[in-house]
Amino acid sequence: MQIIRKKSVQVILVIIILFSSVSLFNLTTNSPQQGQVQALADFEAVLHDTRDDSYDDYLEAYSTLEKPEDVIRIEAEDFADAVGEGFEVVEQFEGLDGKAVTTPEEGTIYWDVPIENAGLYNMRLHYYPMEGKSSAIQRKFAINGEVPFHGAGILIFDRVWTDRYEEFQKDDRGNELRPGQIESPEWVLMSFRDSEGYFEDPYSFYFEEGVQRISLSALREPMAIDYIELYQEKSVMSYEEVKQVYEAEGLESVENQYIQIEGENTVTKSSPTLFPMSDRSSPTVVPYHVSNIRINTIGGLNWKLPGQWIEWEVEVEEEGLYQIALKRKQNELRGLYATRSLTINGEYPFEEMKRIRFNFNRDWENQILGNDEPYLFHLKEGTNRIRLTVTLGDLAPILRTIESSVLQLNEMYRQILMITSSTPDPYRDYQLEQRIPGLIDVFTEQAEIIQSVADYLVESTGERGDQVAVLQSMVRQLEDIVENPHTIARRLDNFKVNVGGLGTFILTIREQPLTLDYLVFSSPGHELPRAEATFFERARHEIGAYIASYTMDYDSIGNIEALDRSVDVWITTGRDQAQVLKGLIDESFTPEANISINLRLVPPEIVLPATLANEGPDVALQIGEDVPVNYAMRNAAADISIFPDYEEVATRFRESGLKPYKFDGGVYALPEQQIFPMMFYRNDILEELGLTPPETWDDVYNMISVLQKHNLEFFLPIDDPMMQQAQQQNMVPNASFAMLLYQNGGEFYQEDHKASALDTDISMEAFRDWTNFYTNHRFPLMADFPNRFRVGEMPIGIADYTTYNMLTVLAPEIRGMWDFTIVPGTKKPDGSIDHSVASHTTAVMMLDNAEDKDAAWEFMKWWTNKETQIAFGREMEGLMGEAARYPTANIEALEELPWPIEDYNNLETQWQWVNGIPQVPGGYFTGRHLDNAFRRVVNANENPREALSDYILYINDEIEIKRREFNLPY
């Protein structure tokens, strides 16, 4: 009821804000009208997260306390204690004048802080990003052993990145190459801030009088620390106040000045994703070429997450007041706006630069900061650093509101689910409004809150975009439910979909993409270059591009000039992956090996017919697990075990990764990626139910009854046959069955691979146990686990570990509420627990018709070595974000990819239990008929042993037929 009272206050105040001054929201791009900032401040003031330890509640609890002006510096080398290894006091570290402490990626360091005046303090850290895994540094902050609020549990400290080369390199066809990103570490002074961008100002922390012990616990990446400071953040003046300062100091506008800085010519940036890009959407983009690639812009979809920043340097000959304009394109957020903050030499010029709006426009446009009455900026003679940072600005309170709504509506959904189940009787009145206290009140309050957010977006942007439609759809359903509560049961699915839409709304709003062509620093009123192309320029551009489509080879990537030794390599994934790979080849493989690589991007289905026509590649990448052995049977794949250094190369991988590529004494591929299951669970829901993550399947059985009592479910993967057929030629055996089979000592095939081994008692019992989950325990046959996990309907389940990447990026509202660990195991007679699972891999394969097999082998060795796999993984994550974290099969490379240390340890533990599934002639029948037997048991209620026995006959027959066909012993 406390939450409801808080939300009532929210609704009343928000409505007052919205409708008492409609003119408030007639917003310009950069210059909010008077009263808007105060309105938004009031809006923020009434927001409350549903978390018990939210920063909102923390500030509210200490809002009346003093903010002492004391500046308290704690020298890092004076630490009181450290838990873990690797903490070391060093002198003159990386140019520092004095001592610092190096802190590893694990462990905790403590300092004692004498506080004379109790109150709220901001905090900042002077640090150096030590060499690590190329991801942002993460630390957990605590005061006297307790994390003060939720946000302090993960503090982010940026690394500093720059382009590898000062000038853009070109390939032998005249295309400019995207520069690789390298670290350019330096000492950085950074405040403790909200890593999600929901709070604009640095965090405030309450310290009592006396000696207080603070600590930083490493979550990811090492860093050196010089000092920590407790201080008070200075307030920033408004533009009107700054103009008075200009007048008092006698500063005047410069005349006849025009400085243009290309957006791609950056100095530093906060992330390797912020690399320069090529844009050929308009002939006005500088530089421009109708057919060749020119690196001419920066930002776009890569520059969208709160906290990401880019810096440029501008050389000024004359000190004075300048106008700033940006040639920009914001064509992603229709009905919304992107927001940036601007600092000059590390400081905000004035308050309005904390929230610069860039409204939607499909085309390029010149935007002068300040619009009709441009702001004037004081630039000093010499070098000035300009930084633009992604910020949520006025959208931050909206996001916090909707995220709070999602959490509350999900909680209501789970409570409804506990009564109705996930398949309620649509004709039954469950009297939910009586059985769930506060249900109608929560729905009423949330409808009003979400409607107020929708109204705010309409007023502030002037249009009703797709995102507003999502909000209004939720409002209509909530209002209808309030009027007709007896309809909740039959509308439960739609309710879940709408709540999921709110989650997607959060993701969409939180991302703030913006593309820049150039920045202009000029005298006020100076004429700017035209941003939009004329009709004739566009026509010439389109005609030229059309002609180039017939003359340019867009399938080949990078340099195509062949050396004395060359290898044709085909890649079947995407252009981004191909471009990253080609960049690595040109940078480190070709110069060292003196072997040219002709890299082509092709569809997966082309490889086989091209090979049969003797027009195929020498090496194929990203090949499905079933392909190499199938090619080997037909003498189309090369046996790489004949190379003298094969055994040394094989040590890069676990035996489970190589197992699918061994056939008849040979090895026909090397694994690139290896993916295996992990167990994901919701901490908050399990704790609420009094459950802990299960260690064994007996624990799972005990847990199932508790979950089902509350109409919640445990997820076991059932592979979608259509999805598998789209991904590869074979339908792989089910991961859940393989897990139970391997944990009990079973195998898929007999040792000589001449017949199936699924006719053993071990296999039959594993099959029975597997099907029992769906017959006796009523597990769902189909489920969208990530989404059902997100809403709490499936608070625990087993899925490929790449699900981690999806949840990290796509479920921000449950951050900190979930974790993953090794799968449940089977207890052995000696008391040990077997956690075995099967894996799925992709491979790099050499074709038997390769003309220079030694050169092809050199490429395969280079591609699968530790350094290349790390570089490729980091580049892909830099290019596409955490969702693209690379699941490399190289043991040492996975350790160096930017996993949080605790999560990596869980992965490494499970990886030691991974088994590979061998590929045999006719083996494609195994997965297919295993699924057929499963369907007969589950759908036709057939005896498990009889169903599996029938299909084993088909499997064995196909294995024998194929062995006969390829003249193999049978």
Side-chain angles (χ1 to χ4, degrees):
M1 293 305 293
Q2 182 179 4
I3 291 175
I4 295 173
R5 286 196 297 271
K6 287 180 179 180
K7 291 299 181 182
S8 298
V9 175
Q10 282 191 39
V11 173
I12 293 170
L13 290 178
V14 170
I15 291 173
I16 291 173
I17 292 169
L18 287 171
F19 298 107
S20 64
S21 55
V22 173
S23 61
L24 216 83
F25 299 100
N26 183 20
L27 303 176
T28 61
T29 303
N30 294 312
S31 181
Q33 295 185 4
Q34 186 176 9
Q36 179 196 345
V37 172
Q38 182 59 47
L40 290 168
D42 293 341
F43 191 13
E44 289 188 84
V46 298
L47 297 178
H48 288 276
D49 200 328
T50 56
R51 299 180 189 273
D52 295 333
D53 58 349
S54 73
Y55 182 57
D56 278 318
D57 291 337
Y58 184 82
L59 278 184
E60 184 178 356
Y62 298 110
S63 60
T64 60
L65 299 181
E66 295 289 332
K67 294 186 175 181
E69 294 297 327
D70 305 355
V71 177
I72 306 172
R73 176 179 289 201
I74 307 103
E75 297 294 341
E77 65 269 20
D78 297 331
F79 64 92
D81 195 10
V83 177
E85 298 180 354
F87 296 92
E88 182 180 357
V89 177
V90 292
E91 293 193 32
Q92 315 297 319
F93 186 78
E94 299 293 342
L96 180 69
D97 184 15
K99 297 180 180 180
V101 173
T102 58
T103 64
E105 64 176 354
E106 290 185 272
T108 304
I109 185 169
Y110 301 86
W111 294 270
D112 288 332
V113 184
I115 303 294
E116 294 184 3
N117 299 302
L120 289 171
Y121 292 84
N122 301 120
M123 296 186 67
R124 57 191 175 196
L125 185 73
H126 194 223
Y127 72 95
Y128 185 92
M130 296 169 59
E131 183 178 357
K133 301 175 182 178
S134 302
S135 62
I137 300 162
Q138 292 185 2
R139 293 294 185 270
K140 179 174 72 174
F141 176 69
I143 301 174
N144 297 321
E146 295 185 1
V147 177
F149 47 84
H150 175 74
I154 300 181
L155 298 175
I156 303 293
F157 300 94
D158 294 325
R159 293 183 176 275
V160 181
W161 297 85
T162 190
D163 296 338
R164 183 180 297 276
Y165 304 110
E166 292 185 3
E167 296 184 359
F168 300 132
Q169 307 294 301
K170 292 185 178 180
D171 63 22
D172 54 20
R173 293 175 293 164
N175 295 314
E176 289 184 345
L177 303 175
R178 178 177 63 82
Q181 302 299 294
I182 59 172
E183 277 197 70
S184 180
E186 58 186 42
W187 284 99
V188 179
L189 183 62
M190 185 173 177
S191 299
F192 290 11
R193 293 179 176 273
D194 174 29
S195 61
E196 300 296 325
Y198 287 172
F199 298 93
E200 186 175 75
D201 296 323
Y203 282 140
S204 293
F205 299 90
Y206 172 68
F207 286 89
E208 296 180 349
E209 184 179 349
V211 177
Q212 310 297 315
R213 175 161 286 197
I214 63 173
S215 65
L216 287 175
S217 300
L219 302 177
R220 182 190 290 182
E221 299 281 41
M223 70 174 174
I225 303 175
D226 177 20
Y227 62 82
I228 300 176
E229 242 178 22
L230 280 64
Y231 74 108
Q232 296 299 332
E233 187 80 4
K234 295 180 181 178
S235 60
V236 181
M237 292 186 292
S238 69
Y239 182 63
E240 291 300 319
E241 294 171 323
V242 168
K243 283 202 300 185
Q244 296 176 11
V245 174
Y246 290 164
E247 293 176 4
E249 295 181 356
L251 292 171
E252 297 182 351
S253 302
V254 295
E255 296 182 357
N256 301 319
Q257 294 293 318
Y258 182 89
I259 306 169
Q260 181 171 313
I261 304 296
E262 293 299 325
E264 63 272 17
N265 294 333
T266 61
V267 178
T268 56
K269 58 204 78 170
S270 62
S271 169
T273 62
L274 304 177
F275 47 80
M277 304 184 306
S278 173
D279 185 291
R280 287 190 289 180
S281 63
S282 170
T284 66
V285 179
V286 183
Y288 163 80
H289 194 282
V290 67
S291 58
N292 286 343
I293 294 173
R294 291 291 177 263
I295 303 298
N296 51 16
T297 60
I298 196 165
L301 289 172
N302 294 337
W303 192 29
K304 63 184 179 181
L305 298 179
Q308 290 182 327
W309 52 262
I310 301 175
E311 277 192 348
W312 298 265
E313 284 185 351
V314 54
E315 293 291 336
V316 173
E317 295 181 357
E318 179 183 346
E319 181 176 2
L321 302 181
Y322 287 75
Q323 166 188 290
I324 298 180
L326 309 174
K327 183 181 177 186
R328 58 80 164 185
K329 180 169 63 174
Q330 196 280 92
N331 61 342
E332 298 291 340
L333 300 177
R334 187 178 185 89
L336 295 170
Y337 48 83
T339 311
R340 296 293 183 271
S341 66
L342 181 143
T343 60
I344 300 176
N345 299 322
E347 296 183 353
Y348 293 111
F350 35 86
E351 178 69 26
E352 287 80 354
M353 289 299 98
K354 287 185 175 182
R355 301 174 178 182
I356 310 171
R357 290 190 180 184
F358 298 91
N359 289 330
F360 177 85
N361 191 336
R362 293 186 182 277
D363 297 320
W364 288 97
E365 69 171 279
N366 288 322
Q367 179 168 324
I368 301 173
L369 301 188
N371 289 334
D372 295 335
E373 297 183 6
Y375 295 132
L376 297 181
F377 299 84
H378 178 207
L379 298 181
K380 298 178 180 178
E381 182 181 352
T383 302
N384 292 265
R385 278 211 171 190
I386 310 298
R387 174 181 290 192
L388 285 173
T389 304
V390 182
T391 178
L392 295 175
D394 300 337
L395 296 175
I398 290 174
L399 280 172
R400 284 154 50 202
T401 300
I402 297 300
E403 186 169 303
S404 173
S405 296
V406 169
L407 291 173
Q408 288 196 63
L409 293 174
N410 274 340
E411 176 61 27
M412 289 296 105
Y413 173 74
R414 287 199 300 272
Q415 291 193 35
I416 294 170
L417 203 67
M418 290 178 185
I419 297 172
T420 67
S421 83
S422 58
T423 55
D425 183 349
Y427 303 106
R428 176 182 172 185
D429 183 0
Y430 289 90
Q431 298 183 328
L432 296 171
E433 70 276 19
Q434 299 177 24
R435 300 173 68 180
I436 302 177
L439 175 68
I440 300 301
D441 291 336
V442 168
F443 282 179
T444 302
E445 303 292 345
Q446 291 305 321
E448 294 176 351
I449 290 170
I450 296 170
Q451 182 62 56
S452 70
V453 171
D455 292 340
Y456 172 86
L457 288 175
V458 171
E459 293 290 343
S460 62
T461 63
E463 60 179 300
R464 295 178 182 271
D466 295 342
Q467 305 309 319
V468 173
V470 170
L471 300 179
Q472 291 178 332
S473 177
M474 184 82 255
V475 170
R476 284 193 296 270
Q477 186 177 46
L478 289 174
E479 290 176 343
D480 200 29
I481 286 176
V482 169
E483 293 180 7
N484 304 285
H486 61 279
T487 66
I488 293 178
R490 66 170 178 262
R491 307 170 70 172
L492 199 55
D493 283 343
N494 286 335
F495 177 75
K496 183 175 71 171
V497 169
N498 282 333
V499 175
L502 291 184
T504 304
F505 171 88
I506 293 173
L507 287 174
T508 304
I509 297 290
R510 188 172 179 268
E511 295 179 349
Q512 302 276 298
L514 179 70
T515 307
L516 296 182
D517 184 6
Y518 52 72
L519 301 84
V520 173
F521 304 83
S522 66
S523 307
H526 196 289
E527 184 179 357
L528 299 174
R530 180 167 39 81
E532 295 184 4
T534 65
F535 171 79
F536 294 104
E537 287 174 331
R538 288 189 178 278
R540 187 167 58 250
H541 168 72
E542 295 296 336
I543 293 171
Y546 176 75
I547 295 173
S549 68
Y550 288 95
T551 59
M552 294 287 291
D553 180 7
Y554 290 109
D555 289 333
S556 295
I557 307 294
N559 294 320
I560 60 174
E561 182 181 354
L563 302 176
D564 292 338
R565 302 178 69 189
S566 65
V567 178
D568 289 334
V569 178
W570 287 9
I571 184 170
T572 61
T573 47
R575 181 163 292 273
D576 288 335
Q577 289 88 337
Q579 288 177 333
V580 169
L581 175 57
K582 184 58 176 175
L584 294 175
I585 289 170
D586 292 342
E587 181 180 316
S588 63
F589 177 72
T590 297
E592 295 179 9
N594 199 31
I595 300 171
S596 62
I597 300 296
N598 180 23
L599 184 66
R600 297 184 67 86
L601 179 63
V602 301
E605 61 272 10
I606 284 181
V607 178
L608 180 59
T611 301
L612 294 175
N614 204 29
E615 296 291 337
D618 299 322
V619 175
L621 302 180
Q622 301 294 324
I623 294 298
E625 190 174 77
D626 60 303
V627 173
V629 168
N630 280 328
Y631 277 48
M633 298 173 203
R634 296 163 173 82
N635 299 317
D639 180 5
I640 59 176
S641 65
I642 64 173
F643 292 100
D645 54 352
Y646 164 76
E647 292 297 336
E648 179 184 349
V649 173
T651 60
R652 300 171 180 175
F653 319 101
R654 298 193 185 275
E655 176 60 26
S656 57
L658 290 165
K659 193 172 184 179
Y661 308 118
K662 294 183 176 182
F663 170 70
D664 199 24
V667 181
Y668 294 92
L670 293 176
E672 295 174 312
Q673 303 179 28
Q674 186 172 17
I675 302 171
F676 48 86
M678 298 285 289
M679 183 171 66
F680 295 80
Y681 60 94
R682 288 280 298 268
N683 293 312
D684 56 335
I685 298 176
L686 294 192
E687 183 177 344
E688 181 182 323
L689 299 177
L691 299 171
T692 57
E695 293 186 14
T696 68
W697 290 105
D698 290 337
D699 297 335
V700 171
Y701 294 131
N702 294 333
M703 169 181 279
I704 289 171
S705 60
V706 178
L707 292 174
Q708 293 183 342
K709 177 183 177 182
H710 296 86
N711 288 321
L712 303 176
E713 296 174 322
F714 190 107
F715 175 73
L716 279 181
I718 292 289
D719 301 312
D720 183 354
M722 296 301 295
M723 182 65 71
Q724 291 211 30
Q725 289 172 10
Q727 291 177 344
Q728 56 182 56
Q729 296 175 12
N730 278 1
M731 182 176 179
V732 299
N734 178 270
S736 302
F737 171 74
M739 192 186 324
L740 295 169
L741 179 69
Y742 280 143
Q743 288 182 8
N744 287 279
E747 291 289 345
F748 280 95
Y749 304 103
Q750 294 178 8
E751 189 173 351
D752 57 8
H753 291 177
K754 293 180 181 179
S756 173
L758 297 181
D759 54 357
T760 64
D761 287 341
I762 291 176
S763 301
M764 293 294 177
E765 290 176 8
F767 184 76
R768 180 201 63 203
D769 292 342
W770 176 41
T771 54
N772 278 347
F773 283 118
Y774 303 91
T775 55
N776 296 347
H777 299 290
R778 301 296 178 184
F779 278 24
L781 291 174
M782 296 184 67
D784 181 356
F785 175 63
N787 274 328
R788 297 182 74 175
F789 183 80
R790 182 180 181 179
V791 300
E793 193 175 337
M794 281 182 165
I796 186 168
I798 295 172
D800 287 343
Y801 81 78
T802 53
T803 304
Y804 176 100
N805 306 338
M806 185 185 304
L807 293 172
T808 299
V809 175
L810 299 181
E813 73 274 14
I814 60 169
R815 62 188 182 277
M817 298 181 182
W818 63 274
D819 207 339
F820 76 154
T821 186
I822 60 176
V823 302
T826 300
K827 185 169 285 189
K828 298 295 186 181
D830 61 1
S832 62
I833 300 176
D834 190 316
H835 295 278
S836 295
V837 295
S839 66
H840 171 66
T841 60
T842 62
V844 51
M845 174 182 67
M846 184 192 305
L847 281 300
D848 194 58
N849 60 3
E851 294 183 3
D852 189 342
K853 287 187 171 59
D854 289 332
W857 177 239
E858 288 299 320
F859 173 78
M860 292 177 67
K861 290 191 297 182
W862 170 84
W863 168 234
T864 58
N865 72 27
K866 170 186 173 182
E867 290 74 19
T868 306
Q869 289 289 291
I870 292 172
F872 183 79
R874 291 179 179 177
E875 286 273 347
M876 288 309 304
E877 188 164 345
L879 183 68
M880 304 173 73
E882 289 188 24
R885 183 163 297 156
Y886 186 60
T888 179
N890 186 297
I891 300 171
E892 294 181 344
L894 185 70
E895 184 178 2
E896 295 298 322
L897 291 178
W899 287 94
I901 189 63
E902 183 178 350
D903 296 334
Y904 168 75
N905 289 338
N906 287 332
L907 280 176
E908 170 62 21
T909 301
Q910 184 64 74
W911 204 0
Q912 295 176 13
W913 287 102
V914 171
N915 285 325
I917 300 176
Q919 295 291 325
V920 304
Y924 50 82
F925 260 33
T926 300
R928 186 181 308 172
H929 285 311
L930 186 63
D931 184 74
N932 289 337
F934 171 83
R935 304 290 171 179
R936 278 176 55 178
V937 173
V938 174
N939 297 332
N941 201 27
E942 190 165 327
N943 179 276
R945 179 178 286 272
E946 293 178 1
L948 183 58
S949 297
D950 289 346
Y951 281 107
I952 289 174
L953 297 176
Y954 293 116
I955 295 171
N956 286 334
D957 286 346
E958 188 66 15
I959 291 175
E960 181 179 342
I961 290 170
K962 286 300 177 183
R963 294 188 73 87
R964 286 175 182 269
E965 179 182 341
F966 296 115
N967 297 318
L968 298 171
Y970 53 89

